[in-house]
C-alpha cells in the first residue's frame, strides 16, 4: 500500500487566495482525520470523518475552512480566503475502526 | 476533554545513553495511549500503543513505554540511543469519538530529541 497520500507537499500563496489540500486515505480505512501543526499550537485536530460522514468539526477554526469527503478514497480541505495565520503543515491521517492512525507526509502551506 | 502534557520541550543525550521522555495525560476513563515520532519534513510514525493488558509495552526501534495509572503517565524509554533517533516525539491520548468505534487523538506539544555523537 502506498500509504496516505497528500498533495500538494508545498503550497505558497498570497493572502486572499483559495487553497485546496487533497488527501487519499489508505484503501479500506473508514476514518479520515485532518490535523494542523504549528509551532505555537502543536498538532490540532480540525475535523474527522467516519464512513465519509463528518463526525466532529469542532476544531475547524472558522468558516473560511471547509472539508469534504465525497467518497472513501478522497478528501479535501479548503481555505477560502486564506490568511497568513493559516500558514502551517496540514496532515491527513486515516484509520480502520479502533486501530491506529496512519499519517500522510503533510502539506506545508505558506500564505504571504 | 482529554489532554496531554509533555513537560520537556527539548532533550539532548549522548549516543549510547539511556533515554526517558515524559508524558502525562488527563482523561476521565481508561485511556488509549500512543507514542509517535516525527522526523524533519515527515509525517508521524507510530512507535507503540497501549490499549489494555500489560502496562509495559514494546514498540519499534527498541522503544518501550510504561503505563502508570496512579501517576497518569506513559513515559517512553530506550536503553541506548542511536544518532538516528534524533527526531520529535509526540505522546497522544485517544478518546472514543461520537461516531462509534473510531478514535480521535489528542497530542502533546512534543519533545525534540537531539543526540550528540
Amino acid at each position: 500500500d502506498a500509504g496516505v497520500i497528500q498533495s500538494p507537499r508545498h503550497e505558497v500563496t498570497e493572502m486572499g487566495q483559495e487553497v485546496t489540500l487533497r488527501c487519499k486515505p489508505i484503501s479500506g480505512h473508514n476514518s479520515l482525520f485532518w490535523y494542523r501543526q504549528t509551532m505555537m499550537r502543536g498538532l490540532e485536530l480540525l475535523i474527522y470523518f467516519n464512513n465519509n460522514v463528518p463526525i466532529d468539526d469542532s476544531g475547524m477554526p472558522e468558516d473560511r475552512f471547509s472539508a469534504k469527503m465525497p467518497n472513501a478514497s478522497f478528501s479535501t480541505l479548503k481555505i477560502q480566503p486564506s490568511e497568513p495565520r493559516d500558514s502551517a503543515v496540514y496532515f491527513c491521517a486515516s484509520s480502520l475502526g479502533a486501530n491506529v492512525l496512519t499519517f500522510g507526509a503533510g502539506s506545508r502551506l505558506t500564505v504571504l | 476533554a482529554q489532554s496531554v502534557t509533555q513537560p520537556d520541550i527539548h532533550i539532548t543525550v549522548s549516543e549510547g545513553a539511556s533515554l526517558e521522555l515524559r508524558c502525562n495525560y488527563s482523561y476521565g476513563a481508561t485511556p488509549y495511549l500512543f507514542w509517535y515520532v516525527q522526523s524533519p519534513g515527515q509525517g508521524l510514525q507510530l512507535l507503540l500503543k497501549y490499549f489494555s493488558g500489560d502496562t509495559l509495552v514494546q514498540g519499534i526501534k527498541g522503544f518501550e513505554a510504561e503505563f502508570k495509572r496512579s501517576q497518569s503517565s506513559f513515559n517512553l524509554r530506550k536503553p541506548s540511543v542511536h544518532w538516528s533517533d534524533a527526531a520529535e516525539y509526540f505522546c497522544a491520548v485517544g478518546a472514543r469519538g461520537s461516531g462509534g468505534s473510531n478514535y480521535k487523538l489528542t497530542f502533546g506539544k512534543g519533545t525534540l530529541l537531539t543526540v550528540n555523537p
Side-chain angles (χ1 to χ4, degrees):
Chain A
D1 198 314
V4 177
I5 300 173
Q6 292 187 246
S7 64
R9 289 296 312 276
H10 302 275
E11 174 94 4
V12 180
T13 190
E14 293 188 345
M15 183 173 62
Q17 296 299 305
E18 178 179 294
V19 173
T20 300
L21 307 178
R22 298 172 178 80
C23 175
K24 176 179 169 55
I26 291 175
S27 177
H29 282 190
N30 62 349
S31 292
L32 184 139
F33 305 77
W34 283 101
Y35 281 85
R36 178 172 68 175
Q37 185 178 38
T38 61
M39 289 291 291
M40 291 298 297
R41 301 173 68 90
L43 275 158
E44 304 172 276
L45 177 65
L46 300 178
I47 185 171
Y48 81 96
F49 296 83
N50 184 25
N51 294 322
N52 311 339
V53 176
I55 301 300
D56 184 349
D57 66 354
S58 60
M60 295 286 263
E62 49 197 274
D63 292 345
R64 297 185 296 107
F65 285 69
S66 62
K68 294 182 180 180
M69 192 165 186
N71 57 61
S73 59
F74 185 65
S75 176
T76 60
L77 178 68
K78 186 174 295 187
I79 308 172
Q80 167 63 20
S82 58
E83 296 182 4
R85 60 193 169 119
D86 301 330
S87 297
V89 181
Y90 292 81
F91 287 103
C92 176
S94 68
S95 72
L96 175 61
N99 288 330
V100 300
L101 273 61
T102 300
F103 283 79
S107 294
R108 180 176 295 277
L109 173 65
T110 302
V111 183
L112 303 175
Chain B
Q2 66 271 23
S3 66
V4 177
T5 301
Q6 293 181 246
D8 304 305
I9 296 174
H10 187 192
I11 284 183
T12 299
V13 299
S14 297
E15 191 169 17
S18 63
L19 172 70
E20 183 169 29
L21 302 182
R22 296 183 291 165
C23 172
N24 293 97
Y25 68 90
S26 174
Y27 185 56
T30 300
Y32 299 89
L33 297 162
F34 306 81
W35 275 99
Y36 282 82
V37 60
Q38 183 181 29
S39 298
Q42 302 296 314
L44 282 76
Q45 179 186 21
L46 179 71
L47 282 177
L48 48 78
K49 63 184 184 291
Y50 171 78
F51 281 3
S52 65
D54 192 345
T55 56
L56 183 64
V57 293
Q58 303 297 320
I60 62 171
K61 304 184 182 185
F63 285 91
E64 66 177 26
E66 186 171 12
F67 169 55
K68 294 185 177 180
R69 185 187 299 275
S70 61
Q71 297 177 20
S72 298
S73 70
F74 189 57
N75 294 349
L76 182 71
R77 300 194 294 250
K78 186 169 184 178
S80 177
V81 170
H82 188 262
W83 64 266
S84 60
D85 293 325
E88 190 156 21
Y89 291 80
F90 293 89
C91 182
V93 60
R96 185 178 295 275
S98 56
S101 62
N102 296 294
Y103 297 82
K104 59 177 185 177
L105 299 187
T106 298
F107 286 85
K109 292 291 179 68
T111 298
L112 180 64
L113 174 66
T114 298
V115 180
N116 287 335

